[in-house]
C-alpha cells in the first residue's frame, strides 16, 4: 500500500514536470492568457456591479440578499475554480474523447497504472495559475472587507470545501467524458456542462426558486461556489458543509464505478 | 450577356455549395443540437436579472425600464440572435490550412471563404428546428411572456441577424487570415470574444449600463450584433435606422479590409505541397 502511494506520487511528479517544461516554451501564450484573464475578470465584475446600482447611480436591488463585497467573494471562488479547471481538468479530460476517437486509449489501458489516474492526471498547464492567484486574492480580499474573521479554523474549512468543489467539478466532467466510450463524440456535451456551470458566478439565492432547485439538486452549482463563499464569510451551516462533502464523495465514487462499467463496453478502435 | 452568364454561374455554385453543405451538416445534427444547448447563457442571465427585478420592485434602480415579460422576451431574443450569428471560421480555416486542404481550394475559381459562408448558412439551417423547439418550450414555461413580434418587425430582425452574422464572420475571417502569418491566430479569437461577450447585450441589456460605458459600447460593432436584433424580436423601443446604418458602416469597413488581408495572406501561403 505504502509503496503504491509512493509509485503514484513519483509518477505524478514526472508527468507534471515534463508538461510544465513543454508548456513554458510558449511565452506568447502566457501573455494572451493573462490578457484574457484580466478582460474576463473586469467584465464579470462590471456585470456584477450593475446589480449594485452602477447603472443607475442608486443602490440597486443586489443579488439574493448578498452585499457587494459578499457577491465578490462568490466571483472570487468562481475565478479560482475556473483557474483550477484550466490547470488540471481541461488539459486532461478534454483529451479522453480524442483517445477514444483515435484508438490511443488502448495504450493507456495497457500501462501498468490505473487508467482513470493516467487520464485524469497525465498533464498540467500553467495557463490557469494567474486565475487561481487572482481568484484567491478576490475571495479573501472581499471577505476581509466585510469583516470576515479569517482564522486558521475558517481557512481550513474553506480549503476543505474548495477541495470538495474541485472534486465535484472533476467527477461531473469525467462522467460526461466517459460517455464517449459509447457515443465517441461527446466533446460538445462537456461544452454544455461548461456553459451551464457559468451560473456559479452568482450566489445561488440570486436565482428564482425553480432554477435554485435545479442548481442544487440536479447540477450542484450551489456546492461549487456558494457554499465555499459562505465558509469564507463564516456563516456556512454544518448540514451544508457535510452535504458538500457527501456530494463530492458520491460523485467521485460514481465516476469511478461508471468508468469501470464503461470499460466493459470498450471494444478498441480497430476491432 | 457576360454578366448574365456570370450571375447564372454564381447562382449555380451557391445552390450546389449550400445543398452539399446542408447534407453534410444534417449528418451532425446531434452535435449541432448540443452546440445549440451550449448557448444557455442568456437564460441563466435571465434568471439573475428577473430575480433582481422582482426583489427590488418596480425597476429597482436597475435602470432597465423593462417589465418581467419584456425582460424574458429580450433574453429569448438574445439567445436566438446568438444562435444564428455563431461563427467558427477561424477553427475550420486553421484546421484546413494546417492539414493542407486549403491548397486544392485555392486552385478552384472560387474565393475559398465562400465555402465557409455556405457551411455556416447550412449549419444555421440545421439549427433552426432546435431553436424553434427551445423557443416553444420557453413560452410554455413562461406563458406570461408570450408575444410574437409583428411581421414587419420580424423581417427587420431577420435582416439584422444576417447583418450581424456578416459582421461577425468578417471579424473572425480577419483573424483567420492571420493564420497565414502566425499559427497562434486562434488565441486572438479568445481576446476578441471578451468584448463581444460583455458589450453585445448577451449578459445584460445595454440599458442597464452606466451612460459612459454605453456610449463607448456603441462605438464598437458588438451591441448591434446581439442586443439590437434581440430588442427587435422582443418588440422593444429601439432606434432602427441608426443601428442599421452603423451595421452597414461596419460591413463597408470590414469587407475591403478582409479582401486586402486575404490577397496579402495568400501571397505568403506555403503549406505542404504549395
Amino acid at each position: 500500500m505504502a509503496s503504491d502511494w509512493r509509485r503514484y506520487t513519483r509518477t505524478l511528479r514526472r508527468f507534471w514536470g515534463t508538461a510544465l517544461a513543454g508548456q513554458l516554451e510558449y511565452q506568447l501564450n502566457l501573455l494572451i492568457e493573462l490578457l484574457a484573464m484580466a478582460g474576463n475578470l473586469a467584465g464579470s465584475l462590471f456585470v456584477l456591479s450593475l446589480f449594485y446600482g452602477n447603472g443607475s447611480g442608486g443602490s440597486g436591488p443586489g443579488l439574493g440578499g448578498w452585499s457587494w463585497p459578499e457577491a465578490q467573494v462568490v466571483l472570487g471562488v468562481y475565478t479560482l475554480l475556473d483557474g483550477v479547471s484550466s490547470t488540471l481538468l481541461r488539459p486532461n479530460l478534454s483529451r479522453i474523447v480524442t483517445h477514444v476517437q483515435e484508438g490511443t486509449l488502448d495504450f493507456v489501458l495497457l500501462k501498468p497504472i490505473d487508467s482513470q489516474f493516467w487520464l485524469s492526471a497525465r498533464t498540467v498547464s500553467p495557463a490557469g495559475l494567474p486565475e487561481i492567484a487572482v481568484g484567491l486574492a478576490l475571495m479573501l480580499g472581499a471577505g476581509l472587507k466585510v469583516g470576515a474573521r479569517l482564522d486558521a479554523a475558517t481557512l481550513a474549512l474553506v480549503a476543505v470545501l474548495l477541495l470538495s468543489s474541485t472534486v465535484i467539478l472533476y467527477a461531473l466532467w469525467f462522467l460526461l467524458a466517459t460517455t464517449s466510450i459509447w457515443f465517441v463524440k461527446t466533446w460538445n456535451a462537456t461544452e454544455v456542462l461548461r456553459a451551464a456551470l457559468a451560473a456559479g458566478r452568482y450566489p445561488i439565492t440570486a436565482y428564482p426558486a425553480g432554477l435554485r432547485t435545479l442548481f442544487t439538486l440536479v447540477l450542484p452549482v450551489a456546492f461549487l461556489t456558494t457554499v465555499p463563499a459562505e465558509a469564507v464569510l463564516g456563516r456556512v451551516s454544518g448540514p451544508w458543509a457535510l452535504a458538500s462533502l457527501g456530494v463530492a464523495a458520491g460523485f467521485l465514487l460514481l465516476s469511478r464505478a461508471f468508468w469501470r462499467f464503461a470499460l466493459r463496453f470498450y471494444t478498441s478502435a480497430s476491432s | 450577356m457576360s454578366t448574365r452568364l456570370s450571375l447564372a454561374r454564381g447562382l449555380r455554385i451557391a445552390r450546389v455549395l449550400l445543398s452539399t453543405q446542408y447534407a453534410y451538416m444534417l449528418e451532425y445534427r446531434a452535435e449541432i443540437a448540443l452546440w445549440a444547448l451550449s448557448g444557455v447563457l442568456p437564460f441563466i442571465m435571465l434568471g439573475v436579472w428577473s430575480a433582481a427585478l422582482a426583489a427590488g420592485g418596480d425597476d429597482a434602480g436597475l435602470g432597465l425600464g423593462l417589465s418581467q415579460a419584456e425582460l424574458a422576451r429580450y433574453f429569448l431574443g438574445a439567445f436566438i440572435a446568438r444562435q444564428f450569428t455563431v461563427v467558427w471560421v477561424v477553427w475550420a480555416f486553421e484546421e484546413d490550412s494546417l492539414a493542407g486542404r486549403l491548397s486544392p481550394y485555392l486552385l478552384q475559381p472560387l474565393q475559398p471563404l465562400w465555402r465557409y459562408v455556405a457551411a455556416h448558412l447550412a449549419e444555421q439551417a440545421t439549427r433552426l428546428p432546435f431553436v424553434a423547439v427551445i423557443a416553444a418550450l420557453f413560452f410554455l414555461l413562461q406563458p406570461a411572456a408570450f408575444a410574437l413580434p409583428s411581421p414587419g418587425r420580424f423581417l427587420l430582425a431577420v435582416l439584422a441577424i444576417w447583418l450581424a452574422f456578416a459582421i461577425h464572420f468578417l471579424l473572425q475571417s480577419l483573424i483567420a487570415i492571420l493564420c497565414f502569418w502566425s499559427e497562434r491566430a486562434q488565441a486572438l479569437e479568445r481576446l476578441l470574444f471578451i468584448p463581444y461577450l460583455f458589450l453585445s447585450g448577451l449578459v445584460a441589456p445595454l440599458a442597464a449600463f452606466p451612460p459612459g460605458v454605453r456610449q463607448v459600447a456603441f462605438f464598437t460593432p458588438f451591441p448591434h450584433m446581439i442586443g439590437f436584433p434581440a430588442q427587435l424580436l422582443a418588440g422593444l423601443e429601439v432606434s432602427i435606422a441608426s443601428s442599421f446604418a452603423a451595421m452597414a458602416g461596419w460591413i463597408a469597413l470590414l469587407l475591403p479590409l478582409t479582401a486586402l488581408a486575404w490577397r496579402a495572406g495568400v501571397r505568403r501561403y506555403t503549406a505542404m505541397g504549395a
Side-chain angles (χ1 to χ4, degrees), chain A residues 26 29 32-33 36 39-40 43-44 46-47 50-51 54-56 60-61 63 185 187-188 191-192 195-196 199 202 206-208 211, chain B residues 28 31 34-35 37-38 40 44-45 47-52 56 60-63 184 187 190-191 194 198 203-204 208-211 213:
Chain A
Y26 304 102
N29 265 17
I32 288 174
E33 286 301 331
N40 261 321
S44 301
F46 170 69
V47 172
L50 296 178
F51 296 97
N54 186 10
S56 58
L63 283 174
K185 288 184 174 175
W187 194 73
N188 295 337
E191 271 314 292
V192 178
Y202 308 100
Y207 293 95
L211 281 179
Chain B
Y28 291 94
E31 276 172 73
L34 283 174
W35 273 128
L37 264 185
S38 71
V40 292
I44 294 173
M45 294 314 295
V48 180
W49 281 102
S50 73
L62 284 170
R184 297 265 153 228
R190 275 194 68 189
L191 294 184
I194 293 168
F198 293 110
V203 290
F209 282 16
V213 182

Side-chain angles (χ1 to χ4, degrees), chain B residues 25 29 32 40 42-43 56 68 94-95 124 149-150 163 168 184 192 203 214 235 241 253-254 263 266:
Chain B
M25 289 296 167
R29 55 189 176 274
I32 291 172
V40 292
F43 296 136
Q68 284 283 2
E94 192 184 83
E95 206 185 307
Q124 287 171 14
S150 68
L163 290 177
H168 202 173
R184 297 265 153 228
L192 175 72
V203 290
R214 193 162 57 225
L253 178 73
L254 288 170
R263 280 195 15 217
V266 166

Side-chain angles (χ1 to χ4, degrees), chain B residues 87-97 116 172 176 186 189-190 193:
Chain B
V87 176
W88 32 269
V89 62
V90 70
W91 291 277
F93 187 81
E94 192 184 83
E95 206 185 307
D96 283 349
S97 71
Y116 298 107
Q172 216 185 68
Q186 217 193 82
E189 161 58 22
R190 275 194 68 189
F193 187 72

Side-chain angles (χ1 to χ4, degrees), chain A residues 126-138:
Chain A
L129 293 179
E131 231 182 341
I132 294 179
V134 171
L136 263 178
L138 183 61

